[in-house]
Amino acid sequence: MGNAVMAWKQRLFEELARGSDLLCLEVLGRQFTVRWGRAVTWQQRESMSSAWARCASSREPVLPPPPMEPTDNLPFTASVICRSAKHDGGTFHMRAASFVELAENLTSRLTVEAILANAGGLTMLHACGVAHPATGAVVALVAKSGTGKTTAASVLAKTYGYVTDETVAIRPDGSVVQYPKPLSVKQGPGVPKLQVGPGELGLQPAPAMPFIQSIVLLNRVQGEPPPAPVLEKVPLADAVLALIPDSSSQGDIQEPLQSLCRLIDSVGGVWQVTYSEAADLPAALAPLFRTQLPK
């Protein structure tokens, strides 16, 4: 009986996979499988596979249950299963009024689940990250939501490798776990953000073994004429106070404050770039990619 059930599940999985009903992803080292509801069209499924291509998982997936039944107001559905050795995200279901809303909610939920699964093991900065294509040196640009991270990533990663526009996850040895998710692009007030794949925006892939080299606070200002960008060191106490609210689950790490200070010390302190136009960032940040080689 057990073999028959396993064989049936394997056939079901193969049929679903052939029909592009499944999206198999690796997010910050955790495995997710997304199963689309019937209202999601073939073109929409293909668009999500393309947008998430750099997070595609090669591991054998776990099959999620069928999505919830749609309603008149919430016709777009998906079910997701998370596999994690530490944090059992289990299965969750999603429903939305539009596919764009479903896609945005999925991106947010996957990020939250992956962060919870890695709590206590990784230092996770609310930042975009780009890496030097030859050395793997990562510059993490820390900022709150809606203050320029995605724009900065989309500009810088046309030259440097795109690591993430959301969470720079750092292991104790300084290596960085890539999270090259789709970029969440604003469309207008009150409208769900569009999930656009990094390849579609011409962003370069990150090298295979990235490591943290610099941490930079983004400080975007307005002015006429636009002021020239300024890159300057931040005092340690100010740096810690700035990073704590933009760190995820730092309190779960052993000696959280000391750990954050050790990270700051390992990269030679924290910088701040004050700028007006994202186009100025590549030149302003170029010196940070040349300061050191991997330890």
Side-chain angles (χ1 to χ4, degrees), residues 13-263:
F13 168 75
E14 290 172 354
E15 290 174 6
L16 289 170
R18 280 197 297 270
S20 298
D21 282 324
L22 301 180
L23 180 63
C24 304
L25 303 174
E26 194 94 6
V27 180
L28 296 178
R30 308 304 173 187
Q31 183 183 6
F32 294 88
T33 307
V34 181
R35 184 172 177 181
W36 300 114
R38 59 176 178 267
V40 181
T41 67
W42 178 84
Q43 290 88 349
Q44 289 166 339
R45 298 174 195 200
E46 286 295 299
S47 72
M48 288 299 279
S49 294
S50 175
W52 282 95
R54 295 190 189 180
C55 294
S57 174
S58 58
R59 291 193 285 172
E60 182 179 352
V62 180
L63 183 65
M68 297 171 65
E69 285 298 312
T71 66
D72 290 341
N73 293 330
L74 302 171
F76 291 89
T77 61
S79 62
V80 185
I81 195 165
C82 171
R83 173 185 282 176
S84 168
K86 177 185 173 185
H87 171 74
D88 184 10
T91 301
F92 55 91
H93 294 267
M94 310 188 73
R95 288 195 292 202
S98 68
F99 173 71
V100 176
E101 181 184 356
L102 179 68
E104 182 185 22
N105 292 345
L106 176 65
T107 298
S108 298
R109 185 66 184 269
L110 292 176
T111 300
V112 169
E113 292 291 336
I115 286 172
L116 289 173
N118 283 291
L122 300 174
T123 295
M124 293 173 282
L125 302 177
H126 194 210
C128 74
V130 291
H132 191 284
T135 67
V138 173
V139 171
L141 304 169
V142 180
K144 300 186 185 305
S145 295
T147 57
K149 293 194 315 302
T150 295
T151 302
S154 64
V155 170
L156 287 162
K158 287 182 169 62
T159 301
Y160 301 104
Y162 173 65
V163 175
T164 186
D165 77 332
E166 177 64 35
T167 302
V168 174
I170 306 163
R171 298 187 183 97
D173 66 357
S175 60
V176 172
V177 183
Q178 297 188 42
Y179 182 22
K181 58 178 280 296
L183 287 84
S184 299
V185 179
K186 293 179 181 178
Q187 299 186 88
V191 180
K193 294 178 181 177
L194 196 63
Q195 307 305 298
V196 183
E200 193 175 340
L201 295 173
L203 307 191
Q204 301 299 312
M209 299 178 66
F211 65 96
I212 189 68
Q213 170 152 292
S214 298
I215 299 173
V216 182
L217 306 177
L218 283 180
N219 180 32
R220 191 172 188 180
V221 297
Q222 302 296 323
E224 289 296 339
V230 176
L231 183 66
E232 57 190 347
K233 267 290 183 58
V234 178
L236 177 60
D238 293 341
V240 171
L241 290 174
L243 292 180
I244 286 175
D246 283 316
S247 302
S248 300
S249 302
Q250 184 67 18
D252 292 323
I253 292 179
Q254 187 175 9
E255 298 183 327
L257 188 57
Q258 296 91 326
S259 175
L260 187 59
C261 289
R262 285 194 293 270
L263 172 62

Side-chain angles (χ1 to χ4, degrees), residues 266-288:
S266 73
V267 297
V270 171
W271 297 82
Q272 176 174 277
V273 61
T274 301
Y275 71 106
S276 176
E277 302 296 332
D280 294 332
L281 288 174
L285 299 176
L288 299 182

